[in-house]
Amino acid sequence: MGSGSTRPNNADDKMFAAMERGDQGEFKDRKPPKNTDMKLIKEKEARAEDARKKADGLKALRLAAEKESKTN
């Protein structure tokens, strides 16, 4: 193989090199683009907020039950 300057350095060059070798199906970018699907992100945030609310509610119920059991 030649010097390092002939080797592919970015994702596009690596993809083209993989296609030339014939193994394009195995090519995977090391740093794929981040998911910018705002709908999905907002749905995940909403699910996380619901989970936090449920946890806070259960904690309040547990604390109230402990307080009631101490007074009896």
Side-chain angles (χ1 to χ4, degrees):
M1 192 152 166
S3 68
S5 64
T6 60
R7 297 187 67 191
N9 290 326
N10 61 23
D12 291 334
D13 292 339
K14 290 178 183 179
M15 181 181 66
F16 293 136
M19 289 170 59
E20 290 172 2
R21 287 192 309 266
D23 59 353
Q24 68 193 48
E26 297 176 17
F27 175 77
K28 292 184 181 174
D29 192 359
R30 281 190 197 161
K31 296 182 181 177
K34 291 187 177 182
N35 188 0
T36 56
D37 184 7
M38 294 307 293
K39 182 179 178 184
L40 179 64
I41 292 170
K42 288 183 180 182
E43 286 175 0
K44 285 183 178 181
E45 289 175 356
R47 277 187 255 137
E49 182 64 29
D50 288 343
R52 273 189 236 110
K53 285 181 182 178
K54 286 180 183 177
D56 290 342
L58 290 173
K59 183 178 179 181
L61 284 174
R62 181 179 52 82
L63 292 174
E66 286 177 2
K67 186 184 257 187
E68 185 178 324
S69 67
K70 286 181 181 178
T71 58
N72 288 340

